[in-house]
Amino acid sequence: MTTKILIDRRMNLLGSIWMVVAMAIFAIEDAFVKAASATLSVGQILIIFGLGGAVVFAGLARCNSEPLFVQDVVSRPMRIRVVFEIVGRLFYVLAITLTPLSAATVILQATPLVVVAGAALIFGEKVGWRRWFAIFVGLIGVVIIIQPGTDSFSVLSIFAIVGMFGFSGRDLASRAAPATLSTNILGLYGFLSIVVAGGVFSIWEGVPFLLPDIKTSYYLLGAIVAGVGAYSCLMKAMRTGEVSAVTPFRYTRLLFGISLGVVMFGEQLSPAMVLGSSMIVFSGLFIFWRGKSAG
């Protein structure tokens, strides 16, 4: 029994480390995308980023002798996942390019709260009143950050909220996705969804594509490498430790995102953002601490 406990703790520790690494790299990906948006349109960034990630995951799948298409790819959960991936990616990229990176990152941290609520409403998972109250408090934190009805409110902050709901829907659909689909295949079609999002937005945007300069090309390459690396680390974390043990470390992305926003883009933190982000983080940590309890 003692040996098993030690092994479980070790696996949870390793999983937690993988999660922290994943969140750090995701924040770096966001910074690269925001930097590239200074010269390229959002649609072009999404297309290049999506194609780059899709090529990498397709190569990894072929190296493992995995077929790039199986019937489960077009299953209903996967179709739903693709739609939410498109919505999440498009609006979150709009958020980090048009609003402060730190603000978009903070709002994104409400995703686990929405996932828990969705799991209760869609999958019938048991969520007691204490966790429902924590979800409510966390969402109030989002409202405090965007400050609707005040002079500080920006309608552009809605992009981050829509992106957050898109990612929440994607995560919920991923839970229902066929278990036969590997991480590489999920990654491949996830990045292809980003290409679709970029194509659709480019048609609506009507902005001509530009040949990226050397600096912007490095930003795009960095975003692709970071995106693939972060996704792989995330999958490693979720498959190494217990979900309840590693998931709370998702909130370290907030620290990395805010730090990069302040250092690289000269952003400033408002008291409302500090208060709102604290409410979101504490609510999320409380929910995972409660685990599967009835309340």
Side-chain angles (χ1 to χ4, degrees):
M1 179 65 72
T2 303
T3 302
K4 183 180 184 300
I5 292 175
L6 290 175
I7 292 175
D8 289 342
R9 287 179 177 175
R10 180 175 179 274
M11 298 305 288
N12 285 340
L13 175 61
L14 289 175
S16 300
I17 292 173
W18 279 116
M19 181 62 78
V20 172
V21 173
M23 294 303 104
I25 303 177
F26 271 129
I28 292 172
E29 172 202 321
D30 292 345
F32 277 132
V33 169
K34 186 173 181 67
S37 68
T39 55
L40 297 182
S41 66
V42 169
Q44 185 174 355
I45 291 173
L46 286 169
I47 290 174
I48 296 174
F49 176 69
L51 284 174
V55 168
V56 173
F57 276 114
L60 292 173
R62 294 310 300 152
C63 287
N64 292 333
S65 300
E66 300 173 21
L68 299 184
F69 178 82
V70 293
Q71 192 62 34
D72 285 340
V73 166
V74 292
S75 61
R76 186 169 182 269
M78 283 296 292
R79 296 197 302 270
I80 295 174
R81 184 181 189 272
V82 165
V83 172
F84 278 112
E85 181 80 63
I86 291 173
V87 173
R89 282 288 183 174
L90 173 57
F91 282 91
Y92 184 63
V93 169
L94 285 171
I96 62 177
T97 57
L98 299 177
T99 66
L101 175 62
S102 53
T105 301
V106 169
I107 293 174
L108 184 66
Q109 302 315 300
T111 299
L113 305 179
V114 177
V115 169
V116 172
L121 297 175
I122 298 172
F123 298 118
E125 293 190 7
K126 193 172 184 180
V127 176
W129 71 268
R130 291 181 180 86
R131 288 202 286 170
W132 276 117
F133 181 74
I135 292 170
F136 175 76
V137 170
L139 295 180
I140 290 297
V142 174
V143 174
I144 290 175
I145 292 170
I146 64 176
Q147 302 181 72
T150 68
D151 294 336
S152 300
F153 173 71
S154 171
V155 69
L156 297 178
S157 61
I158 301 299
F159 289 147
I161 295 176
V162 176
M164 180 266 291
F165 278 106
F167 285 138
S168 301
R170 178 202 62 186
D171 290 350
L172 286 168
S174 296
R175 294 191 58 176
T180 55
L181 298 176
S182 68
T183 297
N184 291 330
I185 297 302
L186 289 176
L188 167 62
Y189 286 94
F191 274 91
L192 287 177
S193 301
I194 300 174
V195 177
V196 174
V200 171
F201 189 73
S202 294
I203 295 173
W204 180 85
E205 194 177 25
V207 176
F209 283 12
L210 301 175
L211 183 66
D213 56 30
I214 297 298
K215 186 195 303 189
T216 305
S217 297
Y218 282 136
Y219 289 151
L220 290 171
L221 179 60
I224 292 170
V225 173
V228 173
Y231 188 88
S232 300
C233 289
L234 177 61
M235 293 300 101
K236 185 73 173 177
M238 299 303 288
R239 294 182 175 183
T240 299
E242 297 172 315
V243 173
S244 60
V246 304
T247 298
F249 288 89
R250 280 179 176 268
Y251 291 106
T252 57
R253 182 172 181 171
L254 185 149
L255 300 176
F256 296 122
I258 289 178
S259 298
L260 288 174
V262 171
V263 174
M264 292 185 61
F265 304 105
E267 300 171 2
Q268 295 183 344
L269 300 181
S270 65
M273 186 181 298
V274 174
L275 174 60
S277 61
S278 299
M279 293 172 67
I280 293 171
V281 171
F282 285 127
S283 297
L285 293 177
F286 175 80
I287 285 173
F288 290 110
W289 172 71
R290 290 295 303 178
K292 297 182 178 180
S293 68

